[in-house]
Amino acid sequence: MTLVGGTLWGLNGTVSKVLLDTYHATPLWMACVRELLAGAMFLVVAALREPKQLKGALTTPRDYPHFLIATLTCVTLTQVAYLFSVHWTNGGTATVLQQVSLLMVLAYVCVHGRRWPHAREIIGIALAFTGVFLLVTGGSFTSLHMPLPGLLWGMTDAFSAACLVIVPISLINRWGNTVFNGITFMLSGLLLIPFAHPIAAMPQLDAKGWWMLAYSAICGTFLAFWLFMGGVERAGSMRTALLSTIEPVVATISTVLWVGTVFVPTDLFGIALILIMVVVMQTGGHDNADTHDDAHDGKQRKRKKG
């Protein structure tokens, strides 16, 4: 379940790139439409499987501010930043840059726990910064190999992905993943309507374009997340987190084969270093393991890729 979910996520980055470049869909339009469709599917599932939790969440006003904050930081920002990152770079690079969120979670944990990073975590930091440097500059200290907006949106996406494993934990524990996702996805989609104009700004889609949009919303967002969370429940968060590294690998390979993106050796080396960083960080010490156990129990970050 984890591998299939991660594969669907990885392919979604490439599908999004085609919709953005070939069909000239805007990132805001895609985010809005995907959120509305995925949110509707999550709400239907929640109504069928967890009606009491759904009713409880909708009739508890004290949680409304928390839901709104989670919607803005964990859904809207995640979806929009990821799609803009894909627009300026490609699905593989955007997905790899998102992995830097682990360092941001680590910074939060260290500040919150009033401790310094452990040795293994320092190695992970060094690997991540070296990998990002190679992706952005191609190994040159005098020029940028990646468009600056691509880097900025990629780092914004990483920040939002870090928020995903911190902000919504209490809501998820209280109401469940399906209810949380249904409410936040739908609310985010509704909030984006005035800016995205989903009807007026609809791109000219042929049959292939409609199938790709359907894949992006159903398989790449809703189904991918559902499968991934099923993997977390059955295999444990640590093992699932390591298996989830298939996502940037699939995104990179599909970007090369489908879109024809060319990665130079420094790009590939930078991607490899960031993936190694993920493994190092996920197999760290006790505190780090606990952090990611909590994080992945409420793991929402793949929702961007959606």
Side-chain angles (χ1 to χ4, degrees):
M1 293 176 74
T2 301
L3 292 175
V4 173
T7 298
L8 293 177
W9 268 321
L11 290 174
N12 201 23
T14 303
V15 169
S16 298
K17 182 65 172 176
V18 174
L19 287 169
L20 291 168
D21 289 357
T22 303
Y23 294 95
H24 307 292
T26 67
L28 284 178
W29 184 87
M30 282 194 60
C32 179
V33 171
R34 291 195 322 194
E35 288 168 12
L36 290 172
L37 293 175
M41 288 183 281
F42 275 120
L43 287 175
V44 169
V45 173
L48 294 175
R49 299 182 60 187
E50 303 169 342
K52 292 183 179 180
Q53 290 93 321
L54 178 59
K55 181 180 178 180
L58 294 175
T59 57
T60 306
R62 70 174 183 274
D63 280 345
Y64 289 178
H66 196 175
F67 268 114
L68 179 59
I69 293 172
T71 295
L72 295 175
T73 58
C74 303
V75 182
T76 306
L77 185 61
T78 300
Q79 290 282 328
V80 172
Y82 178 75
L83 288 168
F84 270 108
S85 180
V86 170
H87 171 69
W88 283 102
T89 59
N90 56 74
T93 300
T95 306
V96 170
L97 287 176
Q98 190 187 60
Q99 308 304 311
V100 179
S101 62
L102 287 173
L103 300 187
M104 299 180 183
V105 174
L106 173 62
Y108 169 82
V109 170
C110 289
V111 172
H112 188 264
R114 298 180 181 180
R115 69 170 178 85
W116 292 100
H118 299 151
R120 186 181 292 269
E121 294 166 341
I122 293 174
I123 294 174
I125 293 171
L127 289 170
F129 276 103
T130 304
V132 171
F133 171 78
L134 291 175
L135 278 175
V136 173
T137 67
S140 171
F141 287 92
T142 60
S143 62
L144 289 179
H145 180 64
M146 175 190 301
L148 182 59
L151 172 62
L152 296 178
W153 280 114
M155 292 299 98
T156 302
D157 181 37
F159 169 77
S160 65
C163 291
L164 291 171
V165 298
I166 298 171
V167 174
I169 298 301
S170 62
L171 289 175
I172 291 174
N173 290 337
R174 188 176 301 122
W175 305 117
N177 279 297
T178 306
V179 171
F180 173 83
N181 285 303
I183 292 175
T184 53
F185 265 98
M186 181 59 68
L187 181 58
S188 179
L190 293 173
L191 290 174
L192 283 177
I193 286 178
F195 307 97
H197 306 291
I199 302 300
M202 182 180 296
Q204 296 295 321
L205 299 176
D206 55 17
K208 180 181 177 182
W210 283 111
W211 278 110
M212 295 178 73
L213 180 62
Y215 172 88
S216 184
I218 299 172
C219 299
T221 304
F222 169 73
L223 187 58
F225 184 77
W226 202 1
L227 285 169
F228 189 89
M229 290 311 300
V232 172
E233 293 174 1
R234 291 163 175 78
S237 60
M238 183 67 69
R239 192 174 301 167
T240 303
L242 293 174
L243 291 173
S244 69
T245 55
I246 192 174
E247 178 197 350
V249 174
V250 170
T252 302
I253 294 174
S254 62
T255 297
V256 172
L257 297 180
W258 192 353
V259 183
T261 301
V262 177
F263 290 95
V264 299
T266 52
D267 292 335
L268 297 175
F269 189 49
I271 290 172
L273 290 179
I274 293 175
L275 293 179
I276 294 172
M277 177 274 294
V278 174
V279 176
V280 169
M281 296 288 285
Q282 295 289 0
T283 56
H286 177 73
D287 288 346
N288 198 33
D290 290 345
T291 299
H292 292 294
D293 281 345
D294 292 339
H296 286 284
D297 285 341
K299 188 174 180 77
Q300 307 296 314
R301 78 184 160 94
K302 302 306 185 191
R303 213 175 355 206
K304 95 178 165 303
K305 298 183 240 337

